[in-house]
Amino acid sequence: MPFEWYLEYEIQKNRPGLLGDVSSLLGMLSINIITINGVDDSRRGLLLKCESNDQVRRLESILKTMDHITVTKLRVPKLRDRLAVRHGRYIQRDADDKKTFRFVRDELGLLVDFMAELYKQDGHKLIGIRGMPRVGKTESIVASSVCANKKWLFVSSTLLKQTIRSQLIADEYSEDNVFIIDGIVSTRRGSEQHLQLVREIMRLSATKVVEHPDIFVQNTEYTLDDFDYIIEIRNDPDEEITYKDVEEPQMLFDSSSLSGFDF
């Protein structure tokens, strides 16, 4: 059975023929290159496939003798490694909270790819998304559902019209669905029947995505520890995500808001 490995090295001196030397070495060791790409500044990432892990150990020992590169990663590929090779950059991860990942709006392609890979994983998964209005939260959730070939279902939302579901039909309880919950709408506008539906969905072995998770946990029995991933989307890296405009419930929906429907 073939083994997959991820190799990343930092280029100390980008001389002509350096990539050719590395590729030739891999060929001599009968290690196949699946994908190769530049990753961030002065680094190169490769997804490799080999028949034996002994080949990788031999590769590692030889690479250590090469003056113009420094191996930074040689490991079984993680999701972040695969995406880094695919997009040429690493997803930014919070230094203190390892389950929090940060994106800016011009990285929505990378974000959609990342979320689609999460959706493809079986079982319960709770994902929270933080971001200011019109930064692309809901659109990213829907686009990643399409990429993962999953059906998405709005439990609560304001994307087109305020949606607050209080019940689902039988086939909507499918564990293949992606359930989308707006934490502000559910907790500030949802009836007890709606909140009971949210609890039922939370118990499903399926993917749930909650927009505005901080507001959601303030007004429900859930905590941020219940979330498997927290995704933050900003218009620019320095943007502060705040909820000052929704601190008072009456500020959420003014008289010009579209009326909700409950079914």
Side-chain angles (χ1 to χ4, degrees):
M1 177 181 175
F3 298 91
E4 284 194 355
W5 285 80
Y6 176 67
L7 166 65
E8 182 183 291
Y9 60 83
E10 185 173 4
I11 301 170
Q12 304 299 331
K13 182 179 180 181
N14 194 13
R15 62 170 176 78
L18 179 59
L19 177 58
D21 290 346
V22 175
S23 301
S24 297
L25 172 60
L26 292 169
M28 287 188 292
L29 294 172
S30 299
I31 298 174
N32 296 322
I33 300 174
I34 303 172
T35 312
I36 184 170
N37 198 1
V39 177
D40 295 330
D41 295 330
S42 71
R43 295 192 180 194
R44 190 167 282 132
L46 301 89
L47 282 178
L48 308 174
K49 184 175 288 186
C50 60
E51 296 297 327
S52 167
N53 288 332
D54 289 337
Q55 295 166 276
V56 176
R57 284 190 281 270
R58 291 171 60 196
L59 171 66
E60 183 178 23
S61 63
I62 297 173
L63 290 176
K64 287 180 179 178
T65 67
M66 298 180 67
D67 296 331
H68 295 155
I69 65 172
T70 301
V71 175
T72 53
K73 295 181 179 69
L74 184 59
R75 64 192 183 195
V76 175
K78 301 179 180 180
L79 174 57
R80 293 179 69 226
D81 299 330
R82 297 182 187 277
L83 293 175
V85 173
R86 200 177 300 170
H87 292 271
R89 69 177 79 175
Y90 263 102
I91 297 171
Q92 185 179 358
R93 199 171 194 173
D94 189 280
D96 299 319
D97 184 0
K98 296 300 183 182
K99 68 181 180 182
T100 299
F101 298 85
R102 295 175 175 170
F103 298 83
V104 292
R105 185 170 174 79
D106 63 4
E107 296 176 324
L108 289 187
L110 176 58
L111 169 60
V112 167
D113 207 358
F114 174 58
M115 293 181 66
E117 292 296 329
L118 296 181
Y119 294 173
K120 292 175 185 177
Q121 300 172 6
D122 294 331
H124 164 82
K125 194 169 287 78
L126 184 57
I127 303 170
I129 297 193
R130 296 179 177 130
M132 299 301 287
R134 293 175 294 280
V135 77
K137 297 184 297 297
T138 308
E139 294 85 347
S140 298
I141 299 169
V142 172
S144 53
S145 300
V146 175
C147 289
N149 197 27
K150 296 279 188 177
K151 178 182 177 182
W152 67 93
L153 193 148
F154 288 110
V155 180
S156 57
S157 174
T158 57
L159 180 61
L160 299 176
K161 189 175 183 179
Q162 184 185 316
T163 302
I164 306 176
R165 301 288 299 270
S166 59
Q167 60 184 3
L168 303 180
I169 59 177
D171 64 348
E172 289 181 325
Y173 282 96
S174 170
E175 295 178 355
D176 287 330
N177 290 343
V178 174
F179 297 90
I180 305 171
I181 300 168
D182 187 310
I184 294 176
V185 174
S186 286
T187 59
R188 299 293 175 86
R189 302 284 289 182
S191 64
E192 180 54 39
Q193 191 175 6
H194 168 76
L195 294 175
Q196 183 57 38
L197 174 63
V198 170
R199 295 185 188 101
E200 290 179 21
I201 290 171
M202 286 294 184
R203 291 193 290 267
L204 293 177
S205 182
T207 298
K208 283 79 65 173
V209 185
V210 178
E211 297 183 43
H212 313 295
D214 303 282
I215 301 296
F216 182 75
V217 300
Q218 285 176 11
N219 298 280
T220 64
E221 63 268 36
Y222 303 99
T223 71
L224 289 178
D225 290 336
D226 294 318
F227 285 80
D228 301 293
Y229 299 89
I230 298 290
I231 293 170
E232 297 180 349
I233 313 175
R234 292 174 169 82
N235 288 295
D236 61 75
D238 298 322
E239 182 180 48
E240 182 183 3
I241 299 173
T242 67
Y243 297 98
K244 61 183 180 181
D245 292 336
V246 296
E247 287 176 352
E248 296 298 330
Q250 61 267 28
M251 296 177 67
L252 273 173
F253 304 99
D254 57 29
S255 58
S256 64
S257 297
L258 292 169
S259 60
F261 55 89
D262 194 348
F263 57 94

